[in-house]
mmCIF file of all heavy atoms in Angstrom:
data_model
loop_
_atom_site.group_PDB
_atom_site.id
_atom_site.type_symbol
_atom_site.label_atom_id
_atom_site.label_comp_id
_atom_site.label_asym_id
_atom_site.label_seq_id
_atom_site.Cartn_x
_atom_site.Cartn_y
_atom_site.Cartn_z
ATOM 1 N N LEU A 208 0.822 -1.218 0.000
ATOM 2 C CA LEU A 208 0.000 0.000 0.000
ATOM 3 C C LEU A 208 0.853 1.263 0.000
ATOM 4 O O LEU A 208 0.474 2.281 -0.583
ATOM 5 C CB LEU A 208 -0.941 -0.002 1.207
ATOM 6 C CG LEU A 208 -2.037 -1.070 1.202
ATOM 7 C CD1 LEU A 208 -2.853 -1.030 2.486
ATOM 8 C CD2 LEU A 208 -2.947 -0.899 -0.010
ATOM 9 N N ASN A 209 2.021 1.191 0.645
ATOM 10 C CA ASN A 209 2.903 2.359 0.661
ATOM 11 C C ASN A 209 3.501 2.620 -0.707
ATOM 12 O O ASN A 209 3.589 3.771 -1.162
ATOM 13 C CB ASN A 209 4.012 2.171 1.705
ATOM 14 C CG ASN A 209 4.886 3.393 1.842
ATOM 15 O OD1 ASN A 209 5.971 3.464 1.263
ATOM 16 N ND2 ASN A 209 4.426 4.372 2.609
ATOM 17 N N VAL A 210 3.904 1.551 -1.393
ATOM 18 C CA VAL A 210 4.511 1.699 -2.727
ATOM 19 C C VAL A 210 3.467 2.089 -3.769
ATOM 20 O O VAL A 210 3.696 2.976 -4.596
ATOM 21 C CB VAL A 210 5.217 0.385 -3.139
ATOM 22 C CG1 VAL A 210 5.685 0.473 -4.588
ATOM 23 C CG2 VAL A 210 6.401 0.108 -2.231
ATOM 24 N N LEU A 211 2.287 1.452 -3.716
ATOM 25 C CA LEU A 211 1.273 1.672 -4.745
ATOM 26 C C LEU A 211 0.443 2.943 -4.520
ATOM 27 O O LEU A 211 0.133 3.659 -5.470
ATOM 28 C CB LEU A 211 0.340 0.456 -4.820
ATOM 29 C CG LEU A 211 0.986 -0.865 -5.243
ATOM 30 C CD1 LEU A 211 -0.022 -2.002 -5.158
ATOM 31 C CD2 LEU A 211 1.551 -0.767 -6.668
ATOM 32 N N PHE A 212 0.099 3.209 -3.264
ATOM 33 C CA PHE A 212 -0.836 4.310 -2.991
ATOM 34 C C PHE A 212 -0.325 5.315 -1.961
ATOM 35 O O PHE A 212 -1.068 6.192 -1.535
ATOM 36 C CB PHE A 212 -2.187 3.740 -2.511
ATOM 37 C CG PHE A 212 -2.789 2.742 -3.446
ATOM 38 C CD1 PHE A 212 -2.790 1.388 -3.128
ATOM 39 C CD2 PHE A 212 -3.339 3.141 -4.659
ATOM 40 C CE1 PHE A 212 -3.335 0.447 -3.992
ATOM 41 C CE2 PHE A 212 -3.890 2.208 -5.525
ATOM 42 C CZ PHE A 212 -3.894 0.858 -5.193
ATOM 43 N N SER A 213 0.940 5.176 -1.537
ATOM 44 C CA SER A 213 1.551 6.082 -0.552
ATOM 45 C C SER A 213 0.791 6.112 0.769
ATOM 46 O O SER A 213 0.765 7.134 1.467
ATOM 47 C CB SER A 213 1.657 7.508 -1.119
ATOM 48 O OG SER A 213 2.451 7.528 -2.277
ATOM 49 N N VAL A 214 0.163 4.994 1.121
ATOM 50 C CA VAL A 214 -0.522 4.897 2.418
ATOM 51 C C VAL A 214 0.535 4.851 3.524
ATOM 52 O O VAL A 214 1.444 4.016 3.469
ATOM 53 C CB VAL A 214 -1.410 3.634 2.496
ATOM 54 C CG1 VAL A 214 -2.054 3.517 3.878
ATOM 55 C CG2 VAL A 214 -2.465 3.670 1.409
ATOM 56 N N PRO A 215 0.471 5.740 4.528
ATOM 57 C CA PRO A 215 1.466 5.728 5.607
ATOM 58 C C PRO A 215 1.513 4.371 6.314
ATOM 59 O O PRO A 215 0.456 3.793 6.604
ATOM 60 C CB PRO A 215 0.960 6.825 6.564
ATOM 61 C CG PRO A 215 0.106 7.704 5.717
ATOM 62 C CD PRO A 215 -0.531 6.801 4.705
ATOM 63 N N PRO A 216 2.699 3.842 6.586
ATOM 64 C CA PRO A 216 2.815 2.533 7.252
ATOM 65 C C PRO A 216 2.050 2.458 8.566
ATOM 66 O O PRO A 216 1.479 1.419 8.893
ATOM 67 C CB PRO A 216 4.323 2.396 7.483
ATOM 68 C CG PRO A 216 4.942 3.211 6.395
ATOM 69 C CD PRO A 216 4.020 4.374 6.193
ATOM 70 N N VAL A 217 2.022 3.572 9.335
ATOM 71 C CA VAL A 217 1.341 3.545 10.625
ATOM 72 C C VAL A 217 -0.153 3.270 10.455
ATOM 73 O O VAL A 217 -0.760 2.565 11.271
ATOM 74 C CB VAL A 217 1.569 4.875 11.391
ATOM 75 C CG1 VAL A 217 0.970 6.067 10.645
ATOM 76 C CG2 VAL A 217 0.972 4.790 12.795
ATOM 77 N N LEU A 218 -0.747 3.782 9.386
ATOM 78 C CA LEU A 218 -2.182 3.582 9.158
ATOM 79 C C LEU A 218 -2.489 2.126 8.852
ATOM 80 O O LEU A 218 -3.461 1.555 9.364
ATOM 81 C CB LEU A 218 -2.657 4.481 8.014
ATOM 82 C CG LEU A 218 -4.156 4.438 7.688
ATOM 83 C CD1 LEU A 218 -4.975 4.835 8.903
ATOM 84 C CD2 LEU A 218 -4.472 5.346 6.499
ATOM 85 N N THR A 219 -1.638 1.503 8.033
ATOM 86 C CA THR A 219 -1.837 0.092 7.692
ATOM 87 C C THR A 219 -1.676 -0.790 8.919
ATOM 88 O O THR A 219 -2.457 -1.729 9.143
ATOM 89 C CB THR A 219 -0.854 -0.341 6.600
ATOM 90 O OG1 THR A 219 -0.899 0.576 5.512
ATOM 91 C CG2 THR A 219 -1.189 -1.734 6.083
ATOM 92 N N PHE A 220 -0.666 -0.490 9.742
ATOM 93 C CA PHE A 220 -0.429 -1.312 10.925
ATOM 94 C C PHE A 220 -1.539 -1.150 11.960
ATOM 95 O O PHE A 220 -1.922 -2.105 12.637
ATOM 96 C CB PHE A 220 0.937 -0.999 11.544
ATOM 97 C CG PHE A 220 1.906 -2.142 11.391
ATOM 98 C CD1 PHE A 220 2.860 -2.134 10.398
ATOM 99 C CD2 PHE A 220 1.838 -3.237 12.242
ATOM 100 C CE1 PHE A 220 3.741 -3.185 10.248
ATOM 101 C CE2 PHE A 220 2.717 -4.298 12.100
ATOM 102 C CZ PHE A 220 3.669 -4.279 11.099
ATOM 103 N N LEU A 221 -2.050 0.073 12.104
ATOM 104 C CA LEU A 221 -3.167 0.270 13.021
ATOM 105 C C LEU A 221 -4.409 -0.474 12.541
ATOM 106 O O LEU A 221 -5.185 -0.996 13.340
ATOM 107 C CB LEU A 221 -3.466 1.762 13.165
ATOM 108 C CG LEU A 221 -2.484 2.564 14.026
ATOM 109 C CD1 LEU A 221 -2.806 4.047 13.953
ATOM 110 C CD2 LEU A 221 -2.525 2.088 15.477
ATOM 111 N N THR A 222 -4.584 -0.543 11.210
ATOM 112 C CA THR A 222 -5.693 -1.317 10.652
ATOM 113 C C THR A 222 -5.530 -2.795 10.986
ATOM 114 O O THR A 222 -6.482 -3.468 11.404
ATOM 115 C CB THR A 222 -5.770 -1.120 9.128
ATOM 116 O OG1 THR A 222 -5.875 0.270 8.829
ATOM 117 C CG2 THR A 222 -6.968 -1.856 8.548
ATOM 118 N N GLY A 223 -4.312 -3.299 10.794
ATOM 119 C CA GLY A 223 -4.032 -4.691 11.145
ATOM 120 C C GLY A 223 -4.249 -4.959 12.619
ATOM 121 O O GLY A 223 -4.773 -6.011 13.006
ATOM 122 N N LEU A 224 -3.854 -3.989 13.463
ATOM 123 C CA LEU A 224 -4.034 -4.133 14.902
ATOM 124 C C LEU A 224 -5.519 -4.191 15.265
ATOM 125 O O LEU A 224 -5.934 -4.980 16.121
ATOM 126 C CB LEU A 224 -3.369 -2.957 15.622
ATOM 127 C CG LEU A 224 -3.383 -3.002 17.150
ATOM 128 C CD1 LEU A 224 -2.542 -4.157 17.666
ATOM 129 C CD2 LEU A 224 -2.866 -1.684 17.734
ATOM 130 N N SER A 225 -6.317 -3.366 14.592
ATOM 131 C CA SER A 225 -7.757 -3.377 14.859
ATOM 132 C C SER A 225 -8.375 -4.720 14.477
ATOM 133 O O SER A 225 -9.260 -5.231 15.177
ATOM 134 C CB SER A 225 -8.443 -2.231 14.099
ATOM 135 O OG SER A 225 -8.368 -2.430 12.696
ATOM 136 N N VAL A 226 -7.902 -5.300 13.377
ATOM 137 C CA VAL A 226 -8.379 -6.627 12.969
ATOM 138 C C VAL A 226 -7.991 -7.669 14.015
ATOM 139 O O VAL A 226 -8.780 -8.550 14.375
ATOM 140 C CB VAL A 226 -7.813 -7.004 11.583
ATOM 141 C CG1 VAL A 226 -8.198 -8.441 11.220
ATOM 142 C CG2 VAL A 226 -8.302 -6.041 10.517
ATOM 143 N N MET A 227 -6.753 -7.539 14.530
ATOM 144 C CA MET A 227 -6.289 -8.456 15.573
ATOM 145 C C MET A 227 -7.183 -8.374 16.810
ATOM 146 O O MET A 227 -7.578 -9.402 17.387
ATOM 147 C CB MET A 227 -4.852 -8.126 15.962
ATOM 148 C CG MET A 227 -4.355 -8.855 17.199
ATOM 149 S SD MET A 227 -2.818 -8.176 17.834
ATOM 150 C CE MET A 227 -2.733 -8.957 19.442
ATOM 151 N N PHE A 228 -7.522 -7.147 17.217
ATOM 152 C CA PHE A 228 -8.374 -6.973 18.388
ATOM 153 C C PHE A 228 -9.770 -7.558 18.175
ATOM 154 O O PHE A 228 -10.352 -8.163 19.074
ATOM 155 C CB PHE A 228 -8.494 -5.490 18.753
ATOM 156 C CG PHE A 228 -7.274 -4.935 19.445
ATOM 157 C CD1 PHE A 228 -6.871 -3.619 19.246
ATOM 158 C CD2 PHE A 228 -6.527 -5.726 20.301
ATOM 159 C CE1 PHE A 228 -5.759 -3.105 19.888
ATOM 160 C CE2 PHE A 228 -5.405 -5.219 20.951
ATOM 161 C CZ PHE A 228 -5.025 -3.904 20.746
ATOM 162 N N LEU A 229 -10.308 -7.372 16.965
ATOM 163 C CA LEU A 229 -11.637 -7.904 16.664
ATOM 164 C C LEU A 229 -11.639 -9.421 16.691
ATOM 165 O O LEU A 229 -12.543 -10.054 17.242
ATOM 166 C CB LEU A 229 -12.110 -7.392 15.299
ATOM 167 C CG LEU A 229 -12.464 -5.903 15.221
ATOM 168 C CD1 LEU A 229 -12.714 -5.488 13.772
ATOM 169 C CD2 LEU A 229 -13.690 -5.595 16.079
ATOM 170 N N VAL A 230 -10.598 -10.009 16.089
ATOM 171 C CA VAL A 230 -10.488 -11.469 16.084
ATOM 172 C C VAL A 230 -10.281 -11.990 17.502
ATOM 173 O O VAL A 230 -10.908 -12.957 17.940
ATOM 174 C CB VAL A 230 -9.333 -11.922 15.162
ATOM 175 C CG1 VAL A 230 -9.066 -13.422 15.328
ATOM 176 C CG2 VAL A 230 -9.657 -11.605 13.712
ATOM 177 N N GLY A 231 -9.362 -11.328 18.245
ATOM 178 C CA GLY A 231 -9.056 -11.762 19.604
ATOM 179 C C GLY A 231 -10.233 -11.622 20.537
ATOM 180 O O GLY A 231 -10.449 -12.463 21.424
ATOM 181 N N HIS A 232 -11.035 -10.580 20.356
ATOM 182 C CA HIS A 232 -12.176 -10.341 21.243
ATOM 183 C C HIS A 232 -13.214 -11.460 21.153
ATOM 184 O O HIS A 232 -13.846 -11.819 22.150
ATOM 185 C CB HIS A 232 -12.827 -9.006 20.898
ATOM 186 C CG HIS A 232 -14.014 -8.678 21.760
ATOM 187 N ND1 HIS A 232 -13.889 -8.297 23.083
ATOM 188 C CD2 HIS A 232 -15.354 -8.704 21.506
ATOM 189 C CE1 HIS A 232 -15.082 -8.082 23.592
ATOM 190 N NE2 HIS A 232 -15.995 -8.321 22.668
ATOM 191 N N ASN A 233 -13.364 -11.996 19.965
ATOM 192 C CA ASN A 233 -14.360 -13.052 19.771
ATOM 193 C C ASN A 233 -13.847 -14.430 20.195
ATOM 194 O O ASN A 233 -14.598 -15.394 20.198
ATOM 195 C CB ASN A 233 -14.775 -13.106 18.299
ATOM 196 C CG ASN A 233 -15.561 -11.876 17.891
ATOM 197 O OD1 ASN A 233 -16.332 -11.338 18.675
ATOM 198 N ND2 ASN A 233 -15.354 -11.417 16.663
ATOM 199 N N SER A 234 -12.541 -14.498 20.516
ATOM 200 C CA SER A 234 -11.955 -15.802 20.832
ATOM 201 C C SER A 234 -11.366 -15.878 22.232
ATOM 202 O O SER A 234 -10.992 -16.948 22.681
ATOM 203 C CB SER A 234 -10.839 -16.131 19.824
ATOM 204 O OG SER A 234 -11.314 -16.009 18.497
ATOM 205 N N ARG A 235 -11.280 -14.723 22.919
ATOM 206 C CA ARG A 235 -10.646 -14.687 24.235
ATOM 207 C C ARG A 235 -11.630 -14.194 25.300
ATOM 208 O O ARG A 235 -12.528 -13.410 25.008
ATOM 209 C CB ARG A 235 -9.435 -13.733 24.228
ATOM 210 C CG ARG A 235 -8.370 -14.121 23.217
ATOM 211 C CD ARG A 235 -7.609 -15.334 23.698
ATOM 212 N NE ARG A 235 -6.565 -15.692 22.756
ATOM 213 C CZ ARG A 235 -5.955 -16.868 22.739
ATOM 214 N NH1 ARG A 235 -6.300 -17.803 23.603
ATOM 215 N NH2 ARG A 235 -5.017 -17.125 21.860
ATOM 216 N N SER A 236 -11.404 -14.615 26.509
ATOM 217 C CA SER A 236 -12.183 -14.075 27.622
ATOM 218 C C SER A 236 -11.654 -12.689 27.970
ATOM 219 O O SER A 236 -10.516 -12.349 27.639
ATOM 220 C CB SER A 236 -12.056 -14.993 28.842
ATOM 221 O OG SER A 236 -10.715 -14.990 29.319
ATOM 222 N N ASN A 237 -12.467 -11.901 28.631
ATOM 223 C CA ASN A 237 -12.038 -10.552 29.030
ATOM 224 C C ASN A 237 -10.828 -10.613 29.954
ATOM 225 O O ASN A 237 -9.937 -9.772 29.883
ATOM 226 C CB ASN A 237 -13.186 -9.817 29.740
ATOM 227 C CG ASN A 237 -14.296 -9.454 28.778
ATOM 228 O OD1 ASN A 237 -14.057 -9.289 27.581
ATOM 229 N ND2 ASN A 237 -15.513 -9.334 29.296
ATOM 230 N N LYS A 238 -10.791 -11.608 30.829
ATOM 231 C CA LYS A 238 -9.676 -11.752 31.758
ATOM 232 C C LYS A 238 -8.367 -11.984 31.011
ATOM 233 O O LYS A 238 -7.331 -11.397 31.321
ATOM 234 C CB LYS A 238 -9.943 -12.912 32.722
ATOM 235 C CG LYS A 238 -8.843 -13.110 33.759
ATOM 236 C CD LYS A 238 -9.163 -14.264 34.692
ATOM 237 C CE LYS A 238 -8.032 -14.473 35.691
ATOM 238 N NZ LYS A 238 -8.305 -15.627 36.596
ATOM 239 N N GLU A 239 -8.412 -12.833 30.001
ATOM 240 C CA GLU A 239 -7.194 -13.134 29.239
ATOM 241 C C GLU A 239 -6.745 -11.931 28.425
ATOM 242 O O GLU A 239 -5.553 -11.662 28.293
ATOM 243 C CB GLU A 239 -7.416 -14.328 28.318
ATOM 244 C CG GLU A 239 -6.123 -14.840 27.687
ATOM 245 C CD GLU A 239 -6.287 -16.194 27.028
ATOM 246 O OE1 GLU A 239 -7.427 -16.659 26.923
ATOM 247 O OE2 GLU A 239 -5.279 -16.764 26.629
ATOM 248 N N GLU A 240 -7.690 -11.161 27.874
ATOM 249 C CA GLU A 240 -7.342 -9.950 27.139
ATOM 250 C C GLU A 240 -6.624 -8.960 28.049
ATOM 251 O O GLU A 240 -5.641 -8.335 27.666
ATOM 252 C CB GLU A 240 -8.605 -9.302 26.553
ATOM 253 C CG GLU A 240 -9.096 -9.955 25.281
ATOM 254 C CD GLU A 240 -10.111 -9.094 24.556
ATOM 255 O OE1 GLU A 240 -10.235 -7.910 24.904
ATOM 256 O OE2 GLU A 240 -10.760 -9.602 23.645
ATOM 257 N N LEU A 241 -7.113 -8.818 29.292
ATOM 258 C CA LEU A 241 -6.478 -7.902 30.239
ATOM 259 C C LEU A 241 -5.066 -8.360 30.585
ATOM 260 O O LEU A 241 -4.160 -7.543 30.737
ATOM 261 C CB LEU A 241 -7.321 -7.804 31.517
ATOM 262 C CG LEU A 241 -8.636 -7.019 31.391
ATOM 263 C CD1 LEU A 241 -9.455 -7.154 32.671
ATOM 264 C CD2 LEU A 241 -8.362 -5.549 31.089
ATOM 265 N N GLN A 242 -4.854 -9.674 30.680
ATOM 266 C CA GLN A 242 -3.520 -10.195 30.974
ATOM 267 C C GLN A 242 -2.546 -9.868 29.850
ATOM 268 O O GLN A 242 -1.400 -9.485 30.098
ATOM 269 C CB GLN A 242 -3.589 -11.715 31.184
ATOM 270 C CG GLN A 242 -4.239 -12.115 32.503
ATOM 271 C CD GLN A 242 -4.379 -13.622 32.625
ATOM 272 O OE1 GLN A 242 -4.320 -14.349 31.634
ATOM 273 N NE2 GLN A 242 -4.563 -14.092 33.852
ATOM 274 N N ILE A 243 -2.988 -10.002 28.607
ATOM 275 C CA ILE A 243 -2.129 -9.696 27.467
ATOM 276 C C ILE A 243 -1.792 -8.202 27.440
ATOM 277 O O ILE A 243 -0.640 -7.812 27.239
ATOM 278 C CB ILE A 243 -2.800 -10.112 26.136
ATOM 279 C CG1 ILE A 243 -2.962 -11.635 26.084
ATOM 280 C CG2 ILE A 243 -1.995 -9.631 24.940
ATOM 281 C CD1 ILE A 243 -1.667 -12.401 26.085
ATOM 282 N N LEU A 244 -2.788 -7.355 27.661
ATOM 283 C CA LEU A 244 -2.563 -5.907 27.662
ATOM 284 C C LEU A 244 -1.621 -5.502 28.792
ATOM 285 O O LEU A 244 -0.778 -4.623 28.621
ATOM 286 C CB LEU A 244 -3.900 -5.160 27.790
ATOM 287 C CG LEU A 244 -4.833 -5.264 26.578
ATOM 288 C CD1 LEU A 244 -6.179 -4.634 26.903
ATOM 289 C CD2 LEU A 244 -4.216 -4.597 25.354
ATOM 290 N N GLU A 245 -1.746 -6.145 29.946
ATOM 291 C CA GLU A 245 -0.856 -5.857 31.073
ATOM 292 C C GLU A 245 0.570 -6.275 30.737
ATOM 293 O O GLU A 245 1.537 -5.569 31.050
ATOM 294 C CB GLU A 245 -1.340 -6.597 32.321
ATOM 295 C CG GLU A 245 -0.503 -6.369 33.570
ATOM 296 C CD GLU A 245 -0.565 -4.941 34.071
ATOM 297 O OE1 GLU A 245 -1.472 -4.185 33.640
ATOM 298 O OE2 GLU A 245 0.286 -4.562 34.889
ATOM 299 N N TYR A 246 0.727 -7.397 30.065
ATOM 300 C CA TYR A 246 2.043 -7.874 29.646
ATOM 301 C C TYR A 246 2.696 -6.863 28.703
ATOM 302 O O TYR A 246 3.870 -6.517 28.845
ATOM 303 C CB TYR A 246 1.895 -9.225 28.936
ATOM 304 C CG TYR A 246 3.169 -9.704 28.257
ATOM 305 C CD1 TYR A 246 4.167 -10.343 28.996
ATOM 306 C CD2 TYR A 246 3.377 -9.507 26.895
ATOM 307 C CE1 TYR A 246 5.332 -10.771 28.382
ATOM 308 C CE2 TYR A 246 4.532 -9.934 26.279
ATOM 309 C CZ TYR A 246 5.507 -10.569 27.031
ATOM 310 O OH TYR A 246 6.662 -10.974 26.427
ATOM 311 N N ILE A 247 1.909 -6.362 27.760
ATOM 312 C CA ILE A 247 2.425 -5.381 26.801
ATOM 313 C C ILE A 247 2.872 -4.116 27.523
ATOM 314 O O ILE A 247 3.945 -3.578 27.274
ATOM 315 C CB ILE A 247 1.352 -5.040 25.742
ATOM 316 C CG1 ILE A 247 1.044 -6.277 24.886
ATOM 317 C CG2 ILE A 247 1.804 -3.899 24.837
ATOM 318 C CD1 ILE A 247 -0.230 -6.145 24.081
ATOM 319 N N ARG A 248 2.032 -3.649 28.465
ATOM 320 C CA ARG A 248 2.343 -2.417 29.185
ATOM 321 C C ARG A 248 3.650 -2.549 29.962
ATOM 322 O O ARG A 248 4.498 -1.667 29.932
ATOM 323 C CB ARG A 248 1.216 -2.066 30.149
ATOM 324 C CG ARG A 248 1.392 -0.716 30.844
ATOM 325 C CD ARG A 248 0.432 -0.549 32.003
ATOM 326 N NE ARG A 248 0.742 -1.451 33.090
ATOM 327 C CZ ARG A 248 1.721 -1.256 33.982
ATOM 328 N NH1 ARG A 248 2.478 -0.188 33.895
ATOM 329 N NH2 ARG A 248 1.952 -2.128 34.939
ATOM 330 N N GLN A 249 3.830 -3.669 30.653
ATOM 331 C CA GLN A 249 5.014 -3.852 31.473
ATOM 332 C C GLN A 249 6.288 -3.959 30.632
ATOM 333 O O GLN A 249 7.331 -3.430 30.995
ATOM 334 C CB GLN A 249 4.869 -5.122 32.326
ATOM 335 C CG GLN A 249 3.819 -4.984 33.428
ATOM 336 C CD GLN A 249 3.629 -6.285 34.185
ATOM 337 O OE1 GLN A 249 4.131 -7.328 33.773
ATOM 338 N NE2 GLN A 249 2.905 -6.229 35.287
ATOM 339 N N VAL A 250 6.192 -4.625 29.500
ATOM 340 C CA VAL A 250 7.379 -4.879 28.688
ATOM 341 C C VAL A 250 7.772 -3.671 27.846
ATOM 342 O O VAL A 250 8.940 -3.350 27.696
ATOM 343 C CB VAL A 250 7.146 -6.109 27.778
ATOM 344 C CG1 VAL A 250 8.303 -6.288 26.814
ATOM 345 C CG2 VAL A 250 6.978 -7.354 28.629
ATOM 346 N N GLU A 251 6.803 -2.949 27.310
ATOM 347 C CA GLU A 251 7.087 -1.952 26.284
ATOM 348 C C GLU A 251 7.097 -0.493 26.744
ATOM 349 O O GLU A 251 7.594 0.358 26.037
ATOM 350 C CB GLU A 251 6.057 -2.081 25.138
ATOM 351 C CG GLU A 251 5.764 -3.503 24.681
ATOM 352 C CD GLU A 251 6.993 -4.196 24.131
ATOM 353 O OE1 GLU A 251 8.018 -3.539 23.945
ATOM 354 O OE2 GLU A 251 6.925 -5.412 23.896
ATOM 355 N N TYR A 252 6.537 -0.198 27.912
ATOM 356 C CA TYR A 252 6.323 1.204 28.260
ATOM 357 C C TYR A 252 7.634 1.985 28.373
ATOM 358 O O TYR A 252 7.720 3.129 27.934
ATOM 359 C CB TYR A 252 5.531 1.302 29.577
ATOM 360 C CG TYR A 252 4.856 2.629 29.767
ATOM 361 C CD1 TYR A 252 3.926 3.091 28.847
ATOM 362 C CD2 TYR A 252 5.148 3.444 30.852
ATOM 363 C CE1 TYR A 252 3.290 4.308 29.001
ATOM 364 C CE2 TYR A 252 4.517 4.661 31.028
ATOM 365 C CZ TYR A 252 3.596 5.086 30.101
ATOM 366 O OH TYR A 252 2.981 6.299 30.254
ATOM 367 N N ASP A 253 8.671 1.379 28.941
ATOM 368 C CA ASP A 253 9.956 2.059 29.050
ATOM 369 C C ASP A 253 10.538 2.374 27.678
ATOM 370 O O ASP A 253 11.141 3.436 27.469
ATOM 371 C CB ASP A 253 10.950 1.202 29.837
ATOM 372 C CG ASP A 253 10.840 1.453 31.333
ATOM 373 O OD1 ASP A 253 10.028 2.317 31.721
ATOM 374 O OD2 ASP A 253 11.559 0.795 32.105
ATOM 375 N N THR A 254 10.367 1.457 26.740
ATOM 376 C CA THR A 254 10.856 1.692 25.386
ATOM 377 C C THR A 254 10.185 2.909 24.763
ATOM 378 O O THR A 254 10.841 3.768 24.162
ATOM 379 C CB THR A 254 10.593 0.457 24.498
ATOM 380 O OG1 THR A 254 11.217 -0.679 25.086
ATOM 381 C CG2 THR A 254 11.164 0.656 23.098
ATOM 382 N N LEU A 255 8.876 3.013 24.925
ATOM 383 C CA LEU A 255 8.133 4.141 24.360
ATOM 384 C C LEU A 255 8.538 5.459 25.019
ATOM 385 O O LEU A 255 8.691 6.483 24.347
ATOM 386 C CB LEU A 255 6.634 3.899 24.523
ATOM 387 C CG LEU A 255 6.048 2.749 23.690
ATOM 388 C CD1 LEU A 255 4.601 2.504 24.078
ATOM 389 C CD2 LEU A 255 6.141 3.042 22.205
#
């Protein structure tokens, strides 16, 4: 999409992330989703 239509990479990745959340929401319990989000926060926040 970036080469053909100059779509910014961040927009494409956020779209992919939204698809991931939609798929994950229908397959995971709320408790498990919170555990994954907590894992991400602990590991990545210092980097950001």
Side-chain angles (χ1 to χ4, degrees):
L208 293 176
N209 185 262
V210 173
L211 296 175
F212 305 107
S213 300
V214 177
V217 63
L218 183 59
T219 309
F220 249 100
L221 285 173
T222 304
L224 184 66
S225 66
V226 174
M227 170 193 167
F228 284 146
L229 290 172
V230 171
H232 180 73
N233 292 324
S234 307
R235 301 286 182 197
S236 66
N237 290 334
K238 182 180 178 182
E239 190 167 8
E240 280 194 13
L241 287 173
Q242 287 176 341
I243 295 296
L244 291 173
E245 181 66 15
Y246 170 82
I247 295 165
R248 186 193 68 79
Q249 290 176 350
V250 173
E251 316 298 351
Y252 200 59
D253 273 358
T254 303
L255 292 173

